[in-house]
Amino acid sequence: MSKHELGNGKEHCHLTEPEAQAVCSALLLHPFIGASLINSEGLFFWANDRSKQLYLGRTDVDVAGKTLFELFAAEWAKERVSLMKELERTGKPAVLRHIRRGRGLMVTYHHMPTPEGEPKRFLVLIAESDGEAEIQISPEYMRFETGLMNLGPL
C-alpha cells in the first residue's frame, strides 16, 4: 500500500492510497469549497461543481481539457498563468483574494505532483470570504493582489 505524506513543519498528514482517493472524492463533491486541478499553462484537468458555479455561474460546463483562455477574459487568464509561473519558480503556495461574479473569494494555489517534463500542476481551492473577517495566513504562502474584478450580472 503506497503512502502519501504531507506536512508544513508543524503538522504532518500521512495518507494511504485509499485515504488519498477519499480526499480526492471529498474535494470533487464538496458543496461549498471550490476545487480544481490546473497546470501552469492554464490547462484544466478537472473542477468540481462549486468551483464552476463560483467562476462560471453554472455547473454544466466540462472544463477538463480546456484552458483559462478558453473560459475567461484574456487579461484575467494571463494574470493567473503569470501567478502560477511565479509559484513554479519559487516552489511556494499562494493565496489570492479577489471578486468574481460579485462575490469575495479567497483562493489558494498548492503544488501538486507533476509528471516529469510537464508544466507544473496546482490544486486550486476556493471559498467565499467575508471581507470583514481577518483570516490568519501562514507566512509560507505568497500573497497576490489583483486589480481585476468581475461583478457578474448587474
Side-chain angles (χ1 to χ4, degrees):
M1 187 178 294
S2 118
K3 282 199 136 188
H4 301 275
E5 189 170 330
L6 304 169
N8 65 7
K10 299 174 202 158
E11 303 281 336
H12 288 279
C13 178
H14 305 277
L15 299 175
T16 63
E17 190 62 35
E19 290 168 334
Q21 287 297 318
V23 169
C24 187
S25 292
L27 287 174
L28 283 170
L29 299 173
H30 207 287
F32 56 86
I33 299 292
S36 61
L37 185 64
I38 189 170
N39 74 16
S40 61
E41 292 180 353
L43 177 69
F44 279 97
F45 293 91
W46 58 263
N48 72 3
D49 282 351
R50 185 63 178 152
S51 179
K52 291 186 268 188
Q53 185 65 44
L54 288 169
Y55 278 94
L56 300 170
R58 47 192 271 226
T59 61
D60 63 344
V61 180
D62 185 7
V63 300
K66 293 184 180 169
T67 68
L68 289 169
F69 296 94
E70 293 173 273
L71 297 167
F72 302 101
E75 185 178 21
W76 192 89
K78 283 181 201 172
E79 182 182 73
R80 294 315 185 272
V81 167
S82 176
L83 179 153
M84 287 184 284
K85 296 286 186 186
E86 177 68 15
L87 298 180
E88 195 170 15
R89 283 189 291 281
T90 66
K92 290 187 168 202
V95 65
L96 169 74
R97 271 189 199 200
H98 69 107
I99 296 173
R100 180 80 190 165
R101 300 184 47 73
R103 293 181 165 138
L105 301 179
M106 180 71 84
V107 183
T108 57
Y109 290 77
H110 306 270
H111 292 263
M112 292 294 288
T114 303
E116 192 171 329
E118 290 188 18
K120 183 68 181 162
R121 293 180 183 185
F122 294 91
L123 175 64
V124 181
L125 300 175
I126 308 114
E128 289 188 74
S129 67
D130 177 355
E132 301 299 314
E134 181 58 36
I135 298 172
Q136 296 299 315
I137 299 168
S138 167
E140 295 168 5
Y141 281 84
M142 292 182 72
R143 293 175 188 227
F144 285 88
E145 301 293 329
T146 180
L148 301 175
M149 72 174 69
N150 175 298
L151 297 177
L154 300 176

